[in-house]
Amino acid sequence: RASVNRAVAMQVYSENSDGTILWNASLVLRNYLQKKQSEFSGRRVLELGAGLGHLSLAISRMGAHVTSTEARCRVEEAATASGSCRCWGCVNQLRRSVKKNLALEQDVSLNEWNDVGCEGMEGKGSIRVVELQWGEEAKDRWGPLKQESETEDGKFDYIIMSEVIYNQSSDSLYDDDFHDNLIWTILQFVKPGTIIYNVFVDRPFSFMFFAKIDELPGKPFKVEVVDEKEYECLLKDDDDAKLYMHKLCYSG
């Protein structure tokens, strides 16, 4: 594993042997958070857009109780067949990856907790995989998160986001609803003191997310830029790619 104290040269993404994609900004965030391991023990953590789930798994191994989320499969006929789809960024792929990494014999059921051993720690972390589509219109399909979002005990201590704030519209035009739905979803799971860690490579309209955050009534988020010296990542395949990391603190 690359040292967290020196510069790490990496591509923006890498392709695994099974065709899945790993966005390497998430590795930078993982290494950064591992320096804060004691802060996560026993905490409730939500990862939005977890992809393959390796960041969720790493945080659960710090002793946290992690809800790892992804959207419903884009291929409708595969949406209920967890072993058949190959699209990136879907809950089926996330379930398969978590099962593989935990070396579980049985399938990882949606919404159910799985214990995760924590090296050098007395307690155990845990992880569950939950389907989560962003936005108010999708809330009725949130499963256990719908009820949890409506109670104080169901809020999260931390929210983790890696490479989720760039514009994802197919026509390369700004999709106003995209950030609105993401921010609305975030607001359902925060409480005073919730900390959000967000890492991303700057792509079209990424910083519109922060403009939207700044426009919220009462300005409930304090946004801090994490000094790049604390993670020192060099992206070697694109001279124009720049990685940013932010810490957002919710005051209510």
Side-chain angles (χ1 to χ4, degrees):
R1 190 181 68 194
S3 168
V4 297
N5 295 317
R6 63 182 178 85
V8 180
M10 60 174 61
Q11 296 177 334
V12 172
Y13 69 90
S14 55
E15 185 172 352
N16 299 317
S17 59
D18 61 358
T20 57
I21 298 296
L22 175 63
W23 297 96
N24 288 319
S26 61
L27 301 180
V28 178
L29 182 55
R30 179 200 66 186
N31 289 351
Y32 175 78
L33 295 180
Q34 282 176 335
K35 296 186 290 184
K36 303 175 177 292
Q37 177 168 335
S38 61
E39 297 180 16
F40 287 90
S41 181
R43 300 290 189 173
R44 282 174 50 84
V45 178
L46 173 68
E47 184 177 8
L48 299 176
L52 299 177
H54 66 281
L55 185 52
S56 290
L57 284 160
I59 297 172
S60 69
R61 291 186 175 111
M62 300 179 200
H65 304 293
V66 181
T67 299
S68 187
T69 68
E70 259 299 350
R72 186 176 179 85
C73 181
R74 293 172 176 81
V75 184
E76 187 173 352
E77 62 269 24
T80 58
S82 62
S84 60
C85 72
R86 283 290 180 267
C87 63
W88 64 270
C90 84
V91 72
N92 293 341
Q93 189 180 87
L94 176 59
R95 291 171 65 193
R96 289 196 303 270
S97 180
V98 169
K99 174 187 175 181
K100 179 179 178 180
N101 278 276
L102 293 181
L104 296 176
E105 295 182 0
Q106 73 278 12
D107 286 336
V108 174
S109 298
L110 280 178
N111 309 331
E112 293 184 5
W113 289 100
N114 299 271
D115 289 338
V116 178
C118 306
E119 185 177 350
M121 301 179 66
E122 293 183 2
K124 283 187 175 182
S126 59
I127 187 171
R128 64 175 173 173
V129 175
V130 180
E131 180 184 310
L132 180 64
Q133 199 77 31
W134 303 339
E136 186 173 7
E137 292 182 0
K139 188 173 181 178
D140 286 339
R141 302 193 302 273
W142 280 7
L145 289 178
K146 182 178 186 295
Q147 182 176 355
E148 290 177 26
S149 70
E150 297 168 352
T151 66
E152 189 65 23
D153 290 342
K155 309 296 186 182
F156 289 87
D157 301 301
Y158 292 89
I159 296 178
I160 305 299
M161 306 193 306
S162 174
E163 293 277 52
V164 300
I165 66 170
Y166 64 92
N167 176 51
Q168 296 186 12
S169 67
S170 58
D171 56 8
S172 298
L173 300 175
Y174 180 61
D175 180 359
D176 198 56
D177 290 338
F178 176 74
H179 285 140
D180 288 342
N181 287 336
L182 172 57
I183 291 171
W184 186 89
T185 300
I186 289 170
L187 289 171
Q188 308 313 299
F189 297 111
V190 293
K191 60 184 178 181
T194 295
I195 294 173
I196 301 172
Y197 285 105
N198 177 49
V199 68
F200 65 101
V201 174
D202 189 21
R203 294 189 179 91
F205 306 109
S206 294
F207 278 94
M208 283 298 296
F209 169 78
F210 297 100
K212 295 271 189 178
I213 286 287
D214 189 60
E215 292 172 356
L216 289 174
K219 298 186 182 298
F221 287 99
K222 177 183 178 183
V223 180
E224 302 175 12
V225 178
V226 178
D227 192 324
E228 63 183 24
K229 293 179 181 178
E230 296 190 42
Y231 52 85
E232 296 184 304
C233 174
L234 302 176
L235 299 173
K236 67 181 182 182
D237 68 338
D238 187 344
D239 292 337
D240 295 325
K242 181 172 176 56
L243 184 140
Y244 295 89
M245 189 183 299
H246 291 79
K247 176 182 178 181
L248 293 78
C249 302
Y250 182 75
S251 60

